[in-house]
Amino acid sequence: MSTWNPANDVDLLSGSEDEEDIAMKRDYHGREAILFVVDANLQTAGIGRLMEALNIIRTAFISGMLVNDKDLIGLVFANTKHSPLPLEASCVETIVVPENCAVFLPLRQLTKPIVEHYLEFMGTVESQFATEYGLVEPDGRGKFDLMIRLCIELLEKCGKKLNNAKIAYVTDVDTPHLPSSNEFQAALQKAIDLEGKEFEFHVIPMNDDFDYGPFYKEFITLSRAIELDAFVEPDPSLLREMLADRKLKQDFLRRCLGHFAFHLGPNLSMSVQYYNYFQRRALPRKVQIMRRDNSVVSTKRQIIVRKHEGEEIKHEYQMKANQGWYKFDLGEKSLRLTMTRMDMVRNMHKPHMQLLGFKHRSALPEVLYSKPSNFMYPDDQSIIGSKRLFRGLWERCLQREKIIVCLFMSKRKSIPRYVVLVPVQVDKSEVKSYRSQLCGDGFKIVYLPEAKHIRHIDMCDWNNTANSADDEKVDFFQKIIKRLRIDYQPNLINDPSLDYLQANLLALSLDITTDSKGIDELLDTTAQDKRIEKYMPDYERLFDVEAVPAKKRPAKASANGASSSKMPKIDMKQIESYEFVEYLIAEERLTSCTVAQLQWILQKHFDENLPKSSPKDRLVKCIVALSAGKAGT
């Protein structure tokens, strides 16, 4: 994670204190916006490359609608010959659309009609895009600075408050203008405007041999206010995969769970923040709807305080939940604590972390099942210089293979936990996966188990000499284990229940069929069968034949397919005789009769009618009492 590397930080001491305070303030409220800009030059390499770019945006539209439908998404075509109006022509009346640019979709919240309109447009791209949009003549180079100005204007006039806005430019051209032209310098000037507006600019190359050097390297470094040498060229294939999966929105700002102070000692602290390695699944909120029209039922909670004098209400008023109080008697006095005072008692300590000591890395087990780990990284929002101090501590722990034992209070009103900070760094492996970029250099927060988390299990039931196997059987299964090893990557497997829910939503709303196999994509059962096929004779020789458990007898099916109802144990003809009823009472076998039979006995022999909802024990007691009274008379 190069964002907290002190080598890439600006000099915080160069500005005034007021400028530093303004720079440190960050607004966490607002929506996220991503504006897609597709270069019309993609059609010069064949309509297939343009369709590939539009399919990436299609996937981003659908996944964005499922992840967070509150985000704003727009689409603009650049370097076009014609500039047709969007479906909502009135939305661009206050926006100056330059030549060689076309607004297909202004920044809007994704809805079903918008996605359907985009899908219909994709069906006509191959036949109508060249005539409806075309390519700017003569060399396919429009004015890049005017396109950036259009994007800035669309983001500023979207009508919503934004806290994270991105421009994703999809192209396969290394430079929009010749280096010696005036348009080249004007385009670089727009990078400074992006840095002032705090809008992020991303280039999504559609070819793997894309060269950032002629233009985009300098443009991106100017827009992000970093040094030219600090720019690292990303892998184009990973960028395309991230764009389709909407991972551009999951930056550290959005994934942060909280900010707190890390106290290293007396008068020595630094500000840090932490987040989850894996996000929890987001299921839709359950609501109640009316049966007649499927309208959502809105509930409202009210707290009414009444003062009674006898049976008369003397005074009545409505109050809020935070205006309540706790009242209890202490001796002869009555004490009342308001909710404000209770919150003051609960919030005596702010979220923080206290360093306790250091241990060697070997003292920590490889796996602890107490609680999932978190990731911690620094920021300079409240304590300037935290990034430099954090990096020094992180590098020292890596060099000496040390871990840090701390006491961590993650949020207000929570119980402090003992944790261990394990230094981790970016994996330098050659495996290219965009999900590996979600973690970086920092400390992994490992929660230590307590006494209540440890279970004492008696292993003597199975781990004894009676269940031991000889060396030949152990060697046999060692061979099987080696043959059946797989490359298990849990970060590539999505939540099955969430995938099933999203598949149903897409099928109902957009008539899109999806097939997610989950863990089956990692397994090749045919190859596994071939690997262990030659070991099956040895398995049958070494181990006994497995006993197949007896199957349960299925229930008798009735004519309509449902299970048949219970048959009465006593025939109706038998209970017509009162002598037989007396025999059942003497033998205490009335419970063998059904409820309907007991009701019939009361009506036939005792002329009594009880409610149909009466339980069986009440009917039996009533029959016994009536029979005893009849015998006494």
Side-chain angles (χ1 to χ4, degrees), residues 15-116:
S16 62
E17 294 183 359
D18 296 337
E19 293 178 353
E20 291 174 3
D21 294 340
I22 294 174
M24 296 300 294
K25 293 181 180 179
R26 184 179 292 178
D27 191 1
Y28 290 91
H29 301 282
R31 305 191 184 190
E32 180 168 343
I34 178 170
L35 182 60
F36 295 98
V37 183
V38 179
D39 189 359
N41 286 289
L42 293 174
Q43 59 183 325
T44 58
I47 199 66
R49 180 168 290 183
L50 177 62
M51 288 300 299
E52 182 183 356
L54 295 179
N55 279 323
I56 291 175
I57 298 176
R58 168 189 174 272
T59 309
F61 271 33
I62 295 175
S63 61
M65 185 171 59
L66 294 175
V67 171
N68 190 358
D69 59 347
K70 299 296 183 181
D71 293 345
L72 305 180
I73 296 183
L75 176 59
V76 175
F77 291 102
N79 300 323
T80 59
K81 183 178 180 180
H82 309 291
S83 301
L85 293 175
L87 186 62
E88 300 179 54
S90 59
C91 63
V92 294
E93 292 179 352
T94 59
I95 297 175
V96 180
V97 181
E99 294 182 356
N100 311 127
C101 289
V103 179
F104 178 82
L105 175 66
L107 286 168
R108 289 290 183 269
Q109 237 177 274
L110 283 181
T111 58
K112 177 184 175 182
I114 291 178
V115 178
E116 288 179 343

Side-chain angles (χ1 to χ4, degrees), residues 139-151:
D139 53 357
R141 299 177 186 269
K143 292 187 176 181
F144 189 83
D145 58 331
L146 297 182
M147 183 269 292
I148 295 296
R149 189 193 68 183
L150 173 62
C151 295

Side-chain angles (χ1 to χ4, degrees), residues 16 240 314 339 547 588 614:
S16 62
R240 293 193 294 269
K314 190 68 174 179
M339 298 299 295
E588 296 181 354
S614 300

Side-chain angles (χ1 to χ4, degrees), residues 285-302:
R285 184 174 59 91
K286 295 181 180 180
V287 296
Q288 295 179 343
I289 59 176
M290 300 294 293
R291 180 179 296 178
R292 59 176 182 271
D293 55 356
N294 289 342
S295 60
V296 180
V297 178
S298 60
T299 59
K300 184 178 180 181
R301 180 182 178 185
Q302 292 183 349

Side-chain angles (χ1 to χ4, degrees), residues 539 544-548:
Y539 174 78
D544 298 334
V545 180
E546 296 183 2
V548 179

Side-chain angles (χ1 to χ4, degrees), residues 142-192:
K143 292 187 176 181
F144 189 83
D145 58 331
L146 297 182
M147 183 269 292
I148 295 296
R149 189 193 68 183
L150 173 62
C151 295
I152 294 175
E153 195 171 359
L154 287 172
L155 291 170
E156 290 180 341
K157 296 183 179 180
C158 65
K160 304 292 183 180
K161 183 179 179 181
L162 305 177
N163 77 330
N164 197 2
K166 297 181 177 69
I167 302 172
Y169 186 52
V170 186
T171 182
D172 58 353
V173 181
D174 297 339
T175 175
H177 301 289
L178 297 176
S180 59
S181 61
N182 295 330
E183 291 82 359
F184 187 89
Q185 300 299 327
L188 292 179
Q189 183 64 31
K190 282 298 176 183
I192 302 176

Side-chain angles (χ1 to χ4, degrees), residues 291-396:
R291 180 179 296 178
R292 59 176 182 271
D293 55 356
N294 289 342
S295 60
V296 180
V297 178
S298 60
T299 59
K300 184 178 180 181
R301 180 182 178 185
Q302 292 183 349
I303 301 177
I304 306 298
V305 181
R306 297 185 178 95
K307 183 178 180 181
H308 294 267
E309 289 188 1
E311 297 182 355
E312 182 182 358
I313 299 176
K314 190 68 174 179
H315 183 57
E316 179 182 272
Y317 64 94
Q318 181 180 348
M319 63 177 295
K320 298 180 180 179
N322 58 358
Q323 295 176 345
W325 61 85
Y326 291 94
K327 184 178 180 181
F328 57 93
D329 296 331
L330 185 62
E332 297 179 354
K333 295 184 179 180
S334 179
L335 300 181
R336 176 183 293 187
L337 290 178
T338 62
M339 298 299 295
T340 304
R341 291 185 176 274
M342 291 295 296
D343 290 338
M344 291 174 60
V345 174
R346 292 170 179 171
N347 295 333
M348 294 181 63
H349 301 285
K350 296 181 179 180
H352 68 282
M353 180 180 289
Q354 181 67 46
L355 186 145
L356 299 180
F358 295 87
K359 295 283 288 185
H360 194 267
R361 178 66 180 84
S362 59
L364 181 68
E366 291 294 333
V367 180
L368 289 175
Y369 298 99
S370 173
K371 184 180 178 182
S373 303
N374 298 130
F375 183 78
M376 186 177 74
Y377 61 103
D379 68 273
D380 284 340
Q381 295 186 30
S382 57
I383 303 177
I384 298 175
S386 297
K387 293 182 179 180
R388 291 177 172 85
L389 181 59
F390 188 94
R391 187 167 185 90
L393 179 64
W394 172 75
E395 290 181 345
R396 192 62 175 171

